[in-house]
Amino acid sequence: MSTPMAPPDPAKSGPAPGRAAAIPIAKESPAATAAARIAERLRHQPGALLPILHAVQEELGCIPADSVAPIARALNLSRAEVHGVLTFYPHFRTQPAGRHVLEVCRAESCQAMGAEQLAEHARRTLGCDFHGTTADGAVSLEPVYCLGLCAQSPAIMLDGQPHARVTADTLGRLLDRAAQDSGARP
C-alpha cells in the first residue's frame, strides 16, 4: 500500500513543472538612469568617457558608484576602466560636494607665493583635508592645479569665483560671506 504524498510547497520546490522561474528585475537607481541617458547621448563623441563623466557630475553633483556600470556598458568598457579614470582625475567626486566648494591652487607659482600655508590654514579652519567635506556638509576642500592667476598668486576659487592674492584673513572673510549668503556657517 502506498502512502499519499502531500502537495508540494511552492516556496520550497520552485516553479511548477513546465514553467520558467521568474527572474527578478533590478530597478535602476535614478543616478544609473541619468548616467545611462547621458552616456547614450554622448557616446559617439571621440574620447567620450571624459565628457560623459563631466556631464554626469554636472547633473548629479557627483558620480555615484551605481552610475559606473551604465557608462561602461554604453562605451563597451569594463567598470574597472571607468573607475580608473574616475579616480585618476581629482576633479571628479564620488560623493556629493558640500554647499560650498573651496579650491586652493597647488601650481608652482601659487606654491612659491604661500599657497601651502594657505592650504594648511584652510585644512585647520575647515577640519578636513583635500577631497574632504566639513562634518556639517558646508564646505568641500579641493586642490586645483592652476587657476590662471599666476601673476596674482596665491589663488583660490570659491563656488566657481576666482580670488587672487588670497591671505588667511581674506580666506576667512570669503568663507564667512559664503556662510551668510547660504544661511549656514561653513
Side-chain angles (χ1 to χ4, degrees):
M1 187 157 165
S2 72
T3 319
M5 293 185 65
D9 181 354
K12 294 181 183 177
S13 65
R19 297 189 78 162
I23 298 172
I25 297 175
K27 185 175 183 211
E28 282 194 330
S29 71
T33 302
R37 176 179 38 78
I38 291 167
E40 183 57 34
R41 183 181 47 140
L42 300 175
R43 72 186 183 99
H44 297 293
Q45 287 186 14
L49 181 54
L50 287 176
I52 289 169
L53 292 174
H54 281 287
V56 169
Q57 182 161 296
E58 177 70 26
E59 183 169 319
L60 302 177
C62 66
I63 304 169
D66 56 350
S67 66
V68 170
I71 294 169
R73 273 193 308 272
L75 298 177
N76 198 27
L77 298 171
S78 70
R79 290 187 317 262
E81 289 172 300
V82 175
H83 179 76
V85 171
L86 173 61
T87 56
F88 176 79
Y89 291 102
H91 172 76
F92 296 124
R93 3 175 152 46
T94 56
Q95 300 294 319
R99 291 183 297 281
H100 302 283
V101 177
L102 172 63
E103 297 171 283
V104 178
C105 183
R106 310 283 294 157
E108 290 81 3
S109 176
C110 284
Q111 285 186 28
M113 298 301 291
E116 188 52 46
Q117 293 83 356
L118 188 61
E120 184 55 37
H121 175 74
R123 288 193 281 271
R124 274 193 321 272
T125 300
L126 298 173
C128 67
D129 204 351
F130 284 123
H131 307 292
T133 300
T134 56
D136 62 358
V139 180
S140 289
L141 180 61
E142 300 290 340
V144 64
Y145 297 90
C146 196
L147 292 169
L149 297 169
C150 304
Q152 302 169 29
S153 299
I156 65 153
M157 188 163 333
L158 180 60
D159 296 335
Q161 294 294 317
H163 300 274
R165 294 188 178 106
V166 178
T167 65
D169 289 340
T170 307
L171 180 59
R173 285 193 300 276
L174 289 168
L175 289 171
D176 286 343
R177 188 177 316 137
Q180 291 170 355
D181 290 347
S182 68
R185 174 140 175 63

